[in-house]
Amino acid sequence: MPRALWGRAAFSWAPPCGGEDHRWARDNARSGGGQVEDGVFSLAVCARIAETPAMKKSLDHLPLRKQAELRQVVETVRAAFEEAISTRRAARLKDGKILKVILYGSYARGDWVHDPVGRYFSDFDLLIVVDHEDLTDGEFWHEAENRTMPIGPDIRTPVSLIVHSLDDVNEQLDRGRYFFADIVREGVLLYDTPGAKLQKPADLKARVALEEAERHFEKWMASAASFRKVAAFCMSDDEPNLAAFNFHQTAEHLYHGVLLVVTLYSGKAHNLAFLRKKAEVIDPRLAEAWPRETKFERRCFELLREAYVKARYSEHYKISAEELAWLTERVDVLRGLAMTVCQERLGQLRDEADGAD
């Protein structure tokens, strides 16, 4: 099973450090260790404090336009975060800090997709590392997500944020979790804070990975099946909105299942567009579940995406029998594809575990 989401090469930009470290970085850049442009170094704060040597420190593989966008995204996210915590009273919140911003995924590897015809555009995938678990709550990041929407002249690329505390990331690295280990090995350090160290990724035993993946498979496939049954009951009981909500939950649980079985990681997300994109990068076959050539097809998926909130709380949410019938068919296709992807991954893990025993 190809782990396309977590791939090959990765690079980074970060703001300069100060004092002696600033002068060291400047001298190193002039001697060939990096570039200086308008006071910004293509070095991760300073190489002497980069605790993870494998992390790249250059964005030179990206077009200049993309480099400028990433700088703008980092500045925008930091500014929005500072505003979000400025009114808080608890010290752990008002004094909270972004410790790292790491680019991962296709833009880190250099295999991003920009396909206007197929309506597919790769995201800037960013891991935000903060200094307290409470700061990972979505309320601190809603504004950052709004401000980084690709609707203005400075940011044209979709941005996808995930937020974890430093302690959590290091715990995952100590456990050898693929997702975080690959980010550390291949990621692009865009912003860094001196002293915020990441652990060296541990090796994850194949048998342990298999057992965890099997638990995820059983849990998430079972819950998806339960929501599918409820959706069918709601349709028979002439409750279209509740049926739409339960179809949303079916699809959400299928996507979480795929992500967890293949990578042992899935963030706290309900947005089906976000989950679909992450899962389809892992295995493009999953895109077959959602044709998107016609307005009807795109509208139906949007109705499903909106169902998580609007189908329950908005009096204006309406979905027709025809749209529900189409969603029934496509969710069932998604289930079949998700089962295939997960079972193939489990088979791979069983082979690895048997070979290691």
Side-chain angles (χ1 to χ4, degrees), residues 9-13 56-64 66-67 70 103 105-112 186 188 190:
F11 302 84
S12 100
W13 167 87
K56 309 298 180 181
K57 303 167 186 175
S58 169
L59 284 173
D60 290 346
H61 69 300
L62 294 180
L64 293 177
K66 295 295 184 181
Q67 296 183 36
L70 278 169
L103 176 70
S106 60
Y107 276 100
R109 297 191 300 269
D111 58 1
W112 69 91
E186 305 166 355
V188 181
L190 302 181

Side-chain angles (χ1 to χ4, degrees), residues 310-329:
K310 292 185 178 180
R312 293 181 290 170
Y313 303 117
S314 174
E315 63 184 57
H316 303 294
Y317 183 90
K318 305 293 182 184
I319 187 166
S320 69
E322 180 185 10
E323 290 161 342
L324 270 178
W326 189 86
L327 287 178
T328 302
E329 174 189 334

Side-chain angles (χ1 to χ4, degrees), residues 81-96 134-135 137-141:
F81 174 74
E82 290 298 326
E83 291 180 22
I85 64 174
S86 63
T87 58
R88 299 311 177 100
R89 295 184 178 181
R92 71 183 187 284
L93 302 180
K94 69 178 180 180
D95 297 331
D134 288 352
L135 295 170
D137 193 283
E139 63 181 310
F140 296 103
W141 305 100

